[in-house]
Amino acid sequence: MAEFFAFLLSYETLRVIWWLFIGILLIGFAITDGFDLGVGTLLPFLGRNDEERRVIINVVGPTWEGNQVWFILGGGAVFAAWPPVYATAFSGFFIALILTLFAMILRPVGFDYRSKLPDPRWRNFWDWGLFVGGAVPALVFGVAFGNLLRGVPFHFDADLRAYYTGGFFGLLNPFGLLAGVVSLSMLVMHGAVYLQLRTEGEIQQRARQMVALAVKVFVGAFALAGLWLLIGVDGYRLDSFAGVAAPSNPLAKTVVRDGGAWLAQYGQHPWMLLAPLAGFGGAALVWLFSQRQQPGRGFIASSLVLAGVILTAGFSLFPFIMPSSSDPNSSLMVWDATSSHLTLKWMFGVTVVFLPIVLAYTTWVFSKLRGTVTVAQVRAADKVMY
């Protein structure tokens, strides 16, 4: 037993564990807050009048703030476990992150202010604000992952100071935008199947139609992105490095760019193919369950899609976290971008205690707030619903 704990708490093991933890937090954020973003994106299109839009808002209104916990945990985990990644990403993606932040600010303001006045113009303005607050983050998150796979133009000097040499519009390259379409269509699908689960009547039928459309767009974009990675995007391959237990030093390695390297992992470890298969297979199940009016199962399948896509990106990049296109040797990876061994151990202990609490709380909240939201409920509880 002592040998097991010694292995579990070793530096090299904790580095991989924190890669897994952050992946779990990303998946948790995508599944819980992802349907919020998808519902916000769909609000102006699936709600044809004020009462229908209030129904849609009240589907996510009671839970969206709690779902933000996963986003906060993910950002805090990156800051504590991978400080060079956090610092470099905020330098390189600063404008994109500020744009995302401003868009997400529209969500709490929209939820709280929309029904303060009965003026249709006022309410329509905030409806489109909620659309922006859902669509822009969903798109930008995908664009960010697309640029990670292309490589980010940054490098370190001899004193390990990071320099970003790109610009905001450089992030809006064709592959990055395609990855954004993958993310946006995936979350729209997730939000639509959740609306199908939580609503009735015409809203439910429109959500069902949107599920079918979003599935088609997602499958096409995801397949095209995989093909593009195979033939049009150079991957990164680790040639030599200081070792899995060496102190974090991003410059103590040699990295080469190699066409198709991102997909080489799947040849070496065929079990990783389960991730993209979950993306494609889960999407087929979402469509099937949605058409059969089984949105509960469809939501589970949609969650599988989100996990599959995030794991596909993680498996493809591993062991890299943030590759550098301007100086491949400056690329940040699992073995040289982490905090100290002591920091990772303390964080591991805290996570083991509090992550199950977050999972239990989230499960309890959704078990209490299950059921459909209807126009009749909105009318009857006008003073206490959004």
Side-chain angles (χ1 to χ4, degrees):
M1 184 63 69
E3 293 180 355
F4 170 76
F5 279 107
F7 169 77
L8 183 67
L9 297 178
S10 65
Y11 201 14
E12 56 269 34
T13 304
L14 285 172
R15 282 170 158 170
V16 177
I17 286 175
W18 272 100
W19 178 81
L20 293 172
F21 274 162
I22 292 176
I24 291 170
L25 293 174
L26 285 175
I27 292 171
F29 169 67
I31 291 174
T32 56
D33 209 37
F35 68 75
D36 290 345
L37 299 176
V39 169
T41 303
L42 293 171
L43 174 63
F45 308 104
L46 299 191
R48 302 294 171 81
N49 55 52
D50 182 65
E51 287 185 331
E52 289 184 348
R53 292 185 178 184
R54 289 189 65 198
V55 167
I56 293 172
I57 290 172
N58 277 281
V59 166
V60 297
T63 58
W64 75 270
E65 286 183 290
N67 294 339
Q68 295 284 98
V69 168
W70 293 93
F71 184 62
I72 296 169
L73 286 175
V78 172
F79 171 78
W82 297 340
V85 176
Y86 185 90
T88 307
F90 268 77
S91 298
F93 298 154
F94 181 77
I95 296 178
L97 291 171
I98 288 294
L99 178 65
T100 302
L101 177 62
F102 285 163
M104 295 186 77
I105 287 174
L106 291 174
R107 298 173 70 201
V109 179
F111 282 125
D112 290 338
Y113 280 21
R114 181 192 183 275
S115 295
K116 296 296 185 183
L117 297 176
D119 187 344
R121 292 173 299 179
W122 170 268
R123 294 189 173 187
N124 189 60
F125 172 81
W126 288 115
D127 289 342
W128 284 101
L130 290 171
F131 163 79
V132 171
V136 170
L139 180 68
V140 170
F141 292 148
V143 170
F145 269 97
N147 278 276
L148 288 180
L149 289 164
R150 289 184 73 251
V152 181
F154 74 93
H155 65 275
F156 291 99
D157 65 12
D159 296 319
L160 296 183
R161 290 175 295 190
Y163 294 87
Y164 180 73
T165 56
F168 170 72
F169 291 103
L171 301 176
L172 304 180
N173 54 79
F175 182 78
L177 291 174
L178 175 61
V181 171
V182 172
S183 175
L184 179 60
S185 60
M186 177 177 69
L187 296 185
V188 166
M189 173 192 69
H190 197 50
V193 77
Y194 188 71
L195 280 176
Q196 187 181 358
L197 174 66
R198 297 291 311 280
T199 59
E200 298 177 352
E202 293 185 5
I203 299 175
Q204 187 185 61
Q205 291 307 310
R206 293 182 203 129
R208 179 187 176 196
Q209 295 171 359
M210 184 56 67
V211 169
L213 176 61
V215 165
K216 293 175 184 176
V217 175
F218 163 74
V219 170
F222 192 42
L224 181 57
L227 180 63
W228 201 328
L229 277 181
L230 178 63
I231 63 177
V233 176
D234 287 341
Y236 291 72
R237 178 168 51 82
L238 184 62
D239 196 42
S240 64
F241 73 115
V244 296
S248 293
N249 181 0
L251 297 180
K253 63 178 179 298
T254 304
V255 176
V256 295
R257 302 189 67 170
D258 186 10
W262 289 145
L263 301 182
Q265 298 271 30
Y266 300 99
Q268 299 170 4
H269 309 286
W271 62 268
M272 290 185 176
L273 289 169
L274 292 173
L277 288 176
F280 287 115
L285 290 175
V286 171
W287 178 86
L288 178 64
F289 290 137
S290 175
Q291 295 303 305
R292 291 184 175 181
Q293 291 289 15
Q294 298 175 314
R297 295 180 179 180
F299 184 77
I300 295 173
S302 182
S303 301
L304 178 65
V305 172
L306 270 61
V309 171
I310 292 172
L311 288 173
T312 298
F315 289 160
S316 298
L317 283 166
F318 189 86
F320 294 95
I321 303 169
M322 192 172 183
S324 169
S325 59
S326 55
D327 178 24
N329 291 341
S330 293
S331 299
L332 295 168
M333 64 177 190
V334 172
W335 313 120
D336 61 14
T338 60
S339 295
S340 68
H341 189 189
L342 182 61
T343 300
L344 295 186
K345 283 197 292 187
W346 273 101
M347 288 174 56
F348 175 76
V350 170
T351 302
V352 167
V353 173
F354 286 100
L355 185 58
I357 294 175
V358 173
L359 287 169
Y361 163 78
T362 302
T363 303
W364 179 80
V365 167
F366 281 100
S367 71
K368 294 299 181 182
L369 295 174
R370 66 183 183 274
T372 58
V373 180
T374 65
V375 172
Q377 290 174 346
V378 169
R379 290 172 181 169
D382 186 70
K383 299 300 182 181
V384 295
M385 300 184 79
Y386 291 95

